[in-house]
Amino acid sequence: MIDRHPSLEVCGQVPDAASAMKAVADLKPDLVLMDISLEGTNGIDVTKSLKAKYQDIPILVVSMHDEALYAERALRAGAQGYIMKNQPIQIVRAAIFKVLAGDIYLSEKMSTSVLAKLLRGKKEEPTSSITSISQLSDRELEVFQMLGEGKSSRQIAEDLDLTIPTIHSFRNRIKEKLQFKNSTELVLHAMQWVGERPNTS
């Protein structure tokens, strides 16, 4: 997709955070295209790490995940834009060139939502499962998603390189924020949320 445009060239592609940090240091790209789903971590965390070390590098998150849930998180992490993979190639390229030019890229719908929040000067009241889940931190959201995928606390701890008590702590915070009565209710809602998300891969 990228190499088909005469002004764009892919200089590298990596599957995980460590490789991404090394590739940026070695290849010095003009732009990083970041996915949310990476081996061993997520694109939000990698974006934070890259921006901490390479403040001026532009990052565009290109993901299959719902922009209503992840776009603002990506921007807060330091990305200059967010676009979903199911968009036409012309729109993806337009997003790339906009970020390369130093601008922010969001879909018209997300831009309207973000501007509305800024104008109100306060957080929206939760009116749906998306806005409720948006209260979660990046790591809490990651744990919530993994619970919805049927993973046990032990599996999640291994995948995230954390301890089981730490995962239990995340689970308790998620229950409190989303006002679930018990762990069963938490897991059932997580599974329902994962099942309802659009499959655009």
Side-chain angles (χ1 to χ4, degrees):
M1 178 189 78
I2 305 299
D3 285 334
R4 293 175 189 169
H5 193 283
S7 300
L8 300 173
E9 179 183 357
V10 177
C11 63
Q13 185 173 349
V14 296
D16 54 44
S19 301
M21 298 298 291
K22 185 176 187 305
V24 169
D26 294 343
L27 300 173
K28 297 178 175 57
D30 296 317
L31 170 73
V32 172
L33 297 181
M34 183 70 67
D35 199 343
I36 294 292
S37 301
L38 296 173
E39 294 178 13
T41 185
N42 65 72
I44 300 295
D45 286 342
V46 180
T47 296
K48 291 177 182 176
S49 297
L50 282 173
K51 295 300 287 190
K53 190 168 185 179
Y54 308 101
Q55 186 176 358
D56 295 331
I57 191 167
I59 298 175
L60 173 64
V61 176
V62 184
S63 177
M64 67 179 182
H65 296 295
D66 192 344
E67 65 178 358
L69 187 56
Y70 283 97
E72 286 189 68
R73 294 172 186 273
L75 294 182
R76 288 198 300 267
Q80 278 70 53
Y82 190 102
I83 187 167
M84 295 183 66
K85 287 182 178 179
N86 61 351
Q87 292 297 307
I89 187 171
Q90 295 88 346
I91 295 180
V92 176
R93 286 175 178 163
I96 290 173
F97 283 113
K98 190 166 186 178
V99 172
L100 279 171
D103 296 323
I104 300 292
Y105 178 86
L106 289 173
S107 70
E108 184 176 348
K109 179 180 178 181
M110 274 309 302
S111 295
T112 300
S113 175
V114 170
L115 286 173
K117 286 183 181 181
L118 289 174
L119 288 173
R120 279 194 294 271
K122 62 180 181 179
K123 293 183 178 179
E124 294 180 332
E125 291 298 319
T127 56
S128 68
S129 61
I130 288 295
T131 51
S132 296
I133 292 169
S134 68
Q135 301 174 67
L136 303 179
S137 70
D138 295 331
R139 184 63 85 188
E140 288 165 354
L141 177 63
E142 193 170 17
V143 171
F144 185 74
Q145 178 176 329
M146 293 173 121
L147 288 171
E149 293 168 351
K151 294 186 177 182
S152 67
S153 292
R154 181 177 296 278
Q155 288 174 306
I156 297 172
E158 291 175 354
D159 289 349
L160 300 180
D161 196 23
L162 298 171
T163 65
I164 293 176
T166 299
I167 299 304
H168 288 163
S169 177
F170 279 124
R171 290 178 61 141
N172 289 333
R173 290 209 295 269
I174 295 168
K175 279 194 296 183
E176 182 178 347
K177 286 184 177 181
L178 302 186
Q179 300 181 352
F180 295 138
K181 297 176 182 177
N182 51 52
S183 294
T184 300
E185 188 176 0
L186 165 62
V187 173
L188 287 175
H189 277 78
M191 293 176 70
Q192 181 183 12
W193 176 72
V194 169
E196 288 176 349
R197 293 171 65 202
N199 184 5
T200 55
S201 57

